[in-house]
Amino acid sequence: MHMPVVVGYLVGLAQVAGGLAILSGALIRLGAACIIVVMLGAIFLVHLPHGFDIGKGGIEYALTQLLISIALLITGAGAYSLAPRLPKPLRKL
């Protein structure tokens, strides 16, 4: 794709940090925003020319992750998350 190496590291960091944020429930909206950006890039830069079918390298799986991240961004953390243990100003993130 002729992008600098640092872009690959930033995408990897966004996926790992976003996944950990979603998994723990702490900073879930920030993590969901990271995953949304990464999945939009994956869909438009990699998977879109291959169609929808995941068996042919299509957008099916990336679109599923994108839609789940949008839902988590809207709804926020659940009852079993670690968000209540965060300081008061960070709880909304």
Side-chain angles (χ1 to χ4, degrees):
M1 291 177 38
H2 306 293
M3 294 209 174
V5 174
V6 71
V7 173
Y9 286 116
L10 289 175
V11 168
L13 177 66
Q15 276 196 304
V16 170
L20 288 175
I22 289 173
L23 183 66
S24 68
L27 305 173
I28 193 166
R29 288 191 167 104
L30 186 62
C34 289
I35 299 296
I36 288 170
V37 170
V38 170
M39 287 302 112
L40 282 173
I43 287 172
F44 287 110
L45 296 175
V46 178
H47 298 292
L48 197 59
H50 302 288
F52 185 75
D53 188 19
I54 193 170
K56 298 175 185 170
I59 67 168
E60 184 178 3
Y61 185 65
L63 183 64
T64 302
Q65 286 186 351
L66 174 69
L67 295 176
I68 289 171
S69 295
I70 289 172
L72 289 173
L73 182 70
I74 293 169
T75 60
Y80 297 111
S81 71
L82 297 177
R85 296 178 186 233
L86 290 174
K88 188 88 170 162
L90 294 176
R91 288 184 191 165
K92 293 291 181 183
L93 296 176

